[in-house]
């Protein structure tokens, strides 16, 4: 019995244990998940390990994984370059890996003709990936860089749709030659000459296609580009294909509106002003209208824009990654009739052949754009136009197309036209300026590059590289201005202009690497290459008027000229230049990269100078102090590197192709024919300087890269000194010494001294929270140190746009001891209460009279200090970002206020019979003079320092949308962004951010709200 009982109990125990184990077995299940990076891109090949075991798996091409574990089991997710995460297993989980800040030093950075690890850089190089989550209104590539880089200043020219921007790296280094940086797109150097319809050179690149920006700032980094590197280099690299099929869509809709208007008198205020000034019953009083028109409101609108981009990427077999993208941008301007439509396409193929020894990278980009330009003259006219007049006027049939205009008696003797013509010195109806002009440009551009990189079989330390690139663009602008428009009264204006450019380049180099594997861990690599570039450009145009119906003009045969062309002007021009170069670079490192030495040299031969060739060397040293014994054990210090650099770069852009030898040009326009021989065409010699030579910039740079707390707080400090000699500038020459009174010559020198700081802080990095801050600071002091104007200490070169309400009046000039383009003005006199005295300026030289000799140099439009701050907070699937920019010490000449300052009886109601509006400030000052010294005084030069909030963004990321058993669903992000939100400034004008320092009724920048959607299929 006992025996039987024992057997029975054992069976019960076995059965019970089996049940327990089976319950545990049934509790295990297939847990599915996905691993992504912070931008939502799937991570391929990430390790998923079950804690406490050797069991695990890898993520597939879509970042997905499946593990058979009990829900709640701890998993460790890891991937190279990202922080390891431990998470509890949950079916459908999405794991977002964050970048390991300590590994950022090993990131590969694109430099001139090659790449380098970030930790091995010896020059001042700034690498930036576009911020996919806080980017504001992005139409062109420069919009992604604005305010985010120390030493890089970007100012959009105005609010024109698709418009260009001024980019400056470490201030300007030239007076008259180009100050624009060299832009290299996938190995193709872009010249600074656009075509009709493409005022922005970066329009060809869809911002959604950009992988990274790399900015080369000091000469040790840019000297490899020789004569094109003085103003810095921006290298743009576009995205490539990768394993696994990826389909993505990015789209947005933008609503834009004006932010601010110029404060001028309303209709009722203007009537009161005219009545007090002239009295009831006066001619001026009788000329007042009965309307209440806000002319600025009439020319602006709420604009709706949209942007759509579709990308398909993947890999054919195991050797041909590909990426295809297409995009459409439809941008409507807030100034009526303005718009920009762009279609882009890009193809990248990057096959690896011969057991990955031969790598090919093919990039093809195409663009078609249609631009409609609004006549910017309407902006100024809307400020000055009499607010009591109506937009439309049907009392003058046929004359003005139904629009109100200031009239005068007609001399056309044309009965169909009517008794009036436009008063051509009066303010023009701004609405008619816009409506009666059709100005459209069609543009096409192609950029292609092919890179071949061969690692020699059996001698793998040697690489041979070749690049073939082309940039071909064509643009045609067709302009039609109605004969009823005040811009081209009676005859109208019609015509077209085309620009075609074809640029080709070929470069090749050999690069040899060798690790000595000795005690000191020496590494050496050397590169030598050759480059050929050809830039060709042609420009043609033709313009004419048309004799209208009823015109009495007869030709030489007594026939009516109605419908015939009038004053036809034709222009044809072609130009080209060549650049041939030999270049080399050598890198040596010791102690596993603790000590770094880089030397580069480039010998450029340009067709633009008689002495074709010039040599541009550089030398740089890097010392990774963190690797020294005394610092290697300092736990809180994760990186410390000293950089020293010196080099020379050149400048040859912006001066024309034939300035050093005698050429002749056909005269253009009315009166340019001398009908004695042949067809009467006149050719004239062009001014030239046979001794024209390179502009050379020598730069010294001291930099410090640092990081603490495992690279959670990182940054770089740079101090630089730049000296430019043989400045290229167009200056006045003595009468009779050349074929014109101005000629481009080498006339002096200039210096820039500056300090930069770039700081990145990962302030919070927790399970659900992530907060990053990026700050940059730039200080730059610019000063002209020599101008070849003889020994006269008062020698100066006038420059800049016209100002003061007159033609040819200059308020800016170059002179020794001051910044380029400083304001050159009279000194305003103020009374005891601080109010400016009408027409009174200081007799600075004490000669008892006011002459141009009493002018002085006062302030500069260039800000010595600029800062940028970007913040992004992420909580689970939510993200919130903001970016701000600040500029301190920039001054602006307020040409709008200066032009309206005279409120005398003779100025407001002119004898020619029209009136113009005024500002409340002008009324309060009650100035009665229009003398030039009063208009060109420092009273109108204002401090325009500002703090701007560029954009604020709130976004939400999602995944597994519409997921089913056979499909992982859709991931993506939806976001809302407000752009150009606020500006804090004391400047009273429309916008303190003025490109050239002259505030002259520019197309205003809009406030925008963007709703966007990103989808990954």
């Amino acid at each position: 019995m006992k025996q039987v009982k024992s057997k029975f109990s054992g069976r019960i125990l076995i059965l019970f244990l089996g049940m327990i184990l089976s319950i545990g077995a049934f509790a295990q299940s297939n847990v599915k998940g996905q691993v992504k990076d912070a931008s939502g891109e799937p991570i391929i090949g990430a390790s998923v390990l079950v804690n406490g075991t050797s069991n695990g798996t890898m993520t597939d091409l879509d970042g997905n994984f499946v593990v058979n574990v009990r829900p709640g089991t701890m998993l460790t997710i890891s991937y190279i370059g990202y922080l390891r995460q431990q998470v509890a297993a949950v079916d459908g989980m999405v794991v977002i890996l964050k970048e390991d800040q300590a590994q950022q030093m090993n990131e590969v950075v694109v430099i001139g003709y090659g790449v380098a690890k970030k930790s091995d850089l010896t020059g001042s190089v700034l690498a930036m990936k576009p911020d996919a989550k806080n980017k504001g209104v992005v139409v062109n590539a420069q919009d992604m860089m604005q305010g985010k880089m120390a030493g890089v200043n970007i100012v959009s020219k105005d609010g024109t749709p698709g418009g260009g921007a001024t980019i400056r790296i470490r201030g300007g280094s030239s007076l008259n030659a180009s100050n624009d940086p060299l832009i290299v797109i996938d190995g193709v150097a872009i010249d600074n000459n656009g075509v009709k319809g493409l005022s922005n050179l970066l329009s060809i690149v869809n911002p959604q296609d950009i992988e990274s920006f790399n900015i080369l700032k000091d000469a040790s980094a840019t000297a490899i580009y020789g004569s094109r590197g003085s103003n810095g280099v921006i290298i743009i690299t576009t995205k490539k294909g990768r394993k696994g099929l990826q389909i993505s869509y990015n789209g947005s809709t933008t609503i834009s509106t004006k932010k601010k208007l110029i404060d001028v008198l309303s209709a009722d205020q203007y009537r009161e002003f005219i009545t007090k000034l002239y009295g009831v019953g006066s001619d001026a009083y009788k000329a007042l209208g009965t309307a209440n028109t806000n002319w600025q409101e009439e020319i602006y609108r709420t604009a709706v824009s949209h942007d759509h981009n579709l990308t398909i990427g993947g890999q054919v077999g195991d050797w041909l990654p590909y990426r295809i993208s297409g995009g459409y941008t439809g941008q409507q301007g807030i100034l009526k009739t303005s718009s920009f439509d762009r279609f882009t396409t890009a193809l990248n193929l990057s096959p690896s052949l011969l057991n990955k020894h031969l790598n090919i990278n093919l990039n093809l980009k195409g663009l078609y754009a249609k631009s409609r330009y609004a006549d910017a003259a309407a902006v100024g006219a809307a400020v000055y136009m009499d607010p009591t007049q109506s937009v439309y006027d049907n009392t003058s049939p046929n004359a003005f197309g139904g629009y109100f205009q200031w009239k005068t008696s007609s001399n056309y003797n044309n009965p169909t036209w009517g008794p009036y013509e436009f008063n051509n010195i009066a303010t023009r109806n701004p609405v008619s300026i816009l409506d009666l002009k059709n100005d459209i440009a069609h543009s096409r551009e192609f950029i292609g590059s092919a890179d071949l990189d061969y690692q020699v079989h059996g001698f793998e330390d040697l690489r041979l590289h070749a690049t073939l690139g082309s940039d071909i663009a064509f643009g045609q602008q067709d302009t039609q201005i109605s004969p009823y428009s005040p811009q081209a009264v009676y005859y109208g204006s019609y015509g077209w202009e085309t620009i075609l450019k074809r640029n080709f380049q070929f470069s090749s180099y050999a690069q040899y690497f060798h690790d000595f594997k000795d005690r000191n861990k020496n590494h050496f690599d050397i590169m030598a290459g050759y480059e050929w570039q050809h830039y060709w450009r042609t420009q043609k145009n033709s313009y004419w008027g048309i004799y209208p119906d009823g015109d009495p003009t007869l030709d030489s045969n007594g026939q009516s000229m109605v419908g015939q062309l009038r004053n036809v002007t034709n222009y044809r021009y072609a130009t080209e230049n060549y650049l041939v170069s030999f270049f080399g670079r050598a890198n040596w490192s010791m102690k596993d990269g603790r000590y770094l030495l880089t030397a580069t040299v480039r010998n450029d031969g340009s067709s633009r100078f008689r002495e074709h060739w010039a040599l541009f060397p550089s030398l740089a040293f890097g010392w990774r102090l963190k690797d020294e014994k005394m610092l290697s054990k300092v736990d809180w210090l994760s990186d410390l590197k000293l950089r020293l650099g010196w080099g020379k770069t050149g400048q040859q852009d912006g001066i024309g192709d034939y300035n050093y030898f005698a050429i002749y040009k056909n005269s253009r326009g009315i009166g340019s024919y001398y009908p004695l021989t042949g067809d009467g065409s006149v050719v004239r010699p062009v001014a030239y300087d046979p001794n024209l030579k390179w502009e050379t910039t020598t730069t010294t740079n001291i930099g410090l890269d640092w990081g603490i707390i495992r690279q959670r707080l990182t940054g770089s400090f740079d101090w630089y000194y730049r000296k430019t000699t043989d400045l290229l500038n167009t200056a006045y020459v003595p009468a009779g010494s050349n074929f014109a009174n101005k000629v481009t010559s080498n006339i002096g020198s200039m210096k820039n001294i500056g300090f930069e700081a770039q700081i990145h802080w990962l302030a919070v990095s927790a399970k659900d929270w992530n907060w990053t801050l990026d700050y940059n600071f730039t200080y730059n002091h610019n000063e002209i140190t020599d101008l070849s104007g003889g020994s006269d200490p008062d020698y100066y070169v006038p420059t800049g746009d016209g100002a003061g309400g007159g033609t040819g009046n200059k308020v800016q000039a170059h002179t020794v001891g001051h910044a380029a383009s400083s304001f050159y003005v009279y000194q305003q006199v103020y009374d005891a209460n601080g109010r400016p005295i009408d027409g009174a300026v200081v007799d600075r030289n004490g000669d008892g009279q006011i002459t141009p000799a009493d002018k002085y140099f006062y302030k500069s439009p260039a800000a010595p200090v600029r800062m940028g701050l970007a913040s992004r907070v992420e909580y689970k699937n939510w993200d919130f970002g903001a970016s701000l920019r600040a500029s301190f010490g920039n001054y602006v000449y307020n040409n709008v206020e200066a032009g309206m300052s005279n409120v005398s009886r003779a100025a407001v109601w002119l004898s020619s019979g029209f009136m113009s509006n005024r500002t409340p400030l002008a009324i309060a000052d009650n100035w009665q003079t229009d003398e030039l010294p009063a208009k060109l005084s420092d009273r109108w030069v204002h401090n325009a320092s500002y703090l701007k909030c560029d954009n604020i963004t709130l976004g939400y990321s999602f995944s597994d949308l519409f997921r089913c058993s056979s499909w992982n669903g859709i991931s993506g992000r939806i976001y809302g962004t407000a752009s150009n939100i606020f500006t804090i400034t004391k400047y009273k004008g429309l916008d303190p951010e003025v490109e050239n320092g002259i505030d002259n009724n520019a197309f205003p920048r809009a406030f925008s709200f963007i709703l966007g959607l990103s989808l990954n299929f």
Side-chain angles (χ1 to χ4, degrees), residues 398-446:
N398 300 328
F400 307 113
Y403 295 90
F404 170 83
Q405 302 288 0
W406 291 107
K407 302 182 267 299
T408 188
S409 298
S410 171
N411 293 319
Y412 296 129
N413 297 319
N414 184 341
T416 64
W417 182 259
Y420 300 109
E421 64 176 285
F422 173 69
N423 185 341
N424 59 15
I425 65 171
T427 305
R428 302 170 182 187
N429 184 324
V431 178
S432 71
I433 292 175
L434 296 174
D435 290 349
L436 299 177
K437 183 176 183 179
N438 190 23
D439 196 5
I440 296 177
H442 299 270
S443 315
R444 297 165 181 83
E445 185 169 11
F446 167 81

Side-chain angles (χ1 to χ4, degrees), residues 1-14:
M1 293 291 295
K2 288 181 180 178
Q3 212 171 12
V4 172
K5 187 175 181 180
S6 174
K7 285 183 179 180
F8 181 78
S9 299
R11 289 173 181 172
I12 293 295
L13 180 62
I14 292 171

